[in-house]
Amino acid sequence: MKTIQESRLNAYLAITSSFSFLFPGEEGATVNPKASSAGGLKPALAQALITFNGMVTSIKADAEVHSESIKGTATDKSMAKDALAVLVNGTAASLYAYFATINNNAMLEKTNFYISRLRRLKDNDLIATAGSLAAIATTYAGVTKDYGVSEESIASLRAAILAYETAKPQPRNMVADRASVNKRLTTKFKEADTFLKKVVNKLMLAHATTDPDMYNVFLTNRSIVSNPSRGTQLKGKVISSKAPKGLANVLVTIDGGAVTVTGATGLFAFKDVNPGTVTLTFSAPGYQATTLSNISVKQGQLNNQKLELVAA
């Protein structure tokens, strides 16, 4: 993978690890969105994070294949097994999320897997399990697309089953294989970025004021992006007559998109800002909403803003 892709994958993994209680990665975990209240998450956000985790799992599997293609050696049986187990686990998690919302207990039983158990299955048992899951995914493909189960993901699962069945050490055409994996990775990163921006970000906003610490950790983990303005930052401080040293929990929005929340000392920051002019909006309970327009942001520099909010 390219260096920027590795950084993005690490950022994705940091995000999913913060909500690992949602994923059936190990014994004792659950993906039931209705149980997400234990983590303080709204059901819609929990479902979105489960879907995003499936995307990240798929990227990770392809990244491992890409690593092998660079070495110029075939994926052996054990690696093919692990790749298949990862895909089965990710697909099952997405299906489980859907069946939980419609209270289909029978299907919940059939899609509740643990990655550690999948890895311990014998060859024929894993193939049979994966085949059954692929059949379920195909049956419900029409209603599970929003949960990350698409025709493309099902095709990837069936391809992984075939690869596991036929895997054995042998020379490979390194260049052709690498190009194919690179193409898949580019597509999957684009889909993950879009889903993160248009779905997870929007749903996460509901927690910006109720749990600013979680929200800011999320923003930090997802701040790595591929753009020419890398290194351009916009920071600032919000105060008021009642809080001259810094006003906390102020919602700050840049260009109507990315959002952050001021900390205890009133500070806020946006990383990787596009250079040019931007608009900032500030809102907080008990204060007048304020907009600052035409703020000049210079590329590669740290740009600062200070604002005093007026009581409503």
Side-chain angles (χ1 to χ4, degrees), residues 119-147:
R119 285 169 172 156
R120 290 197 297 265
L121 289 176
K122 295 181 179 180
D123 289 359
N124 291 337
D125 292 337
L126 178 57
I127 291 171
T129 298
S132 296
L133 187 69
I136 293 173
T138 299
T139 300
Y140 290 88
V143 292
T144 56
K145 187 175 182 180
D146 290 342
Y147 292 80

Side-chain angles (χ1 to χ4, degrees), residues 8-30:
R8 286 160 111 184
L9 178 55
N10 287 334
Y12 293 167
L13 292 172
I15 290 172
T16 56
S17 67
S18 299
F19 304 96
S20 58
F21 61 90
L22 290 171
F23 319 128
E26 298 295 341
E27 283 80 355
T30 177

Side-chain angles (χ1 to χ4, degrees), residues 30-255:
T30 177
V31 299
N32 189 342
K34 295 182 177 180
S36 64
S37 58
L41 302 181
K42 296 181 181 298
L45 175 58
Q47 292 173 18
L49 287 168
I50 291 167
T51 298
F52 180 68
N53 183 63
M55 293 179 170
V56 175
T57 298
S58 181
I59 290 174
K60 185 178 178 182
D62 267 349
E64 292 173 352
V65 173
H66 180 270
S67 177
E68 283 304 301
S69 72
I70 292 177
K71 295 177 183 178
T73 59
T75 303
D76 63 17
K77 199 73 173 180
S78 62
M79 293 189 66
K81 180 177 185 177
D82 189 67
L84 177 57
V86 167
L87 279 179
V88 169
N89 191 61
T91 303
S94 296
L95 289 170
Y96 190 105
Y98 168 70
F99 292 131
T101 62
I102 62 173
N103 295 315
N104 190 329
N105 293 325
M107 298 310 295
L108 285 175
E109 288 294 327
K110 294 181 179 180
T111 55
N112 188 20
F113 297 134
Y114 301 116
I115 188 69
S116 56
R117 293 179 182 175
L118 290 169
R119 285 169 172 156
R120 290 197 297 265
L121 289 176
K122 295 181 179 180
D123 289 359
N124 291 337
D125 292 337
L126 178 57
I127 291 171
T129 298
S132 296
L133 187 69
I136 293 173
T138 299
T139 300
Y140 290 88
V143 292
T144 56
K145 187 175 182 180
D146 290 342
Y147 292 80
V149 182
S150 62
E151 291 183 2
E152 183 181 14
S153 67
I154 296 171
S156 296
L157 176 58
R158 293 191 182 280
I161 295 172
L162 180 61
Y164 180 47
E165 288 178 316
T166 60
K168 59 182 179 180
Q170 61 184 0
R172 64 165 53 188
N173 186 328
M174 184 169 58
V175 176
D177 191 67
R178 191 184 309 170
S180 176
V181 177
N182 274 336
K183 185 176 181 179
R184 288 206 308 270
L185 281 171
T186 298
T187 299
K188 290 181 179 181
F189 271 112
K190 183 178 180 179
E191 292 174 346
D193 285 345
T194 299
F195 188 83
L196 191 61
K197 179 180 179 180
K198 294 186 175 181
V199 181
V200 180
N201 277 12
K202 302 299 182 183
L203 293 172
M204 188 65 73
L205 285 177
H207 297 272
T209 54
T210 58
D211 194 345
D213 289 337
M214 180 193 75
Y215 182 73
N216 283 323
V217 168
F218 167 76
L219 287 183
T220 299
N221 289 335
R222 64 134 307 195
S223 65
I224 299 174
V225 294
S226 177
N227 65 56
S229 63
R230 193 171 181 79
T232 303
Q233 300 181 52
L234 177 59
K235 294 186 176 182
K237 185 171 186 174
V238 181
I239 61 173
S240 72
S241 58
K242 297 180 180 179
K245 294 184 178 181
L247 182 60
N249 296 326
V250 177
L251 208 62
V252 186
T253 306
I254 183 169
D255 287 337

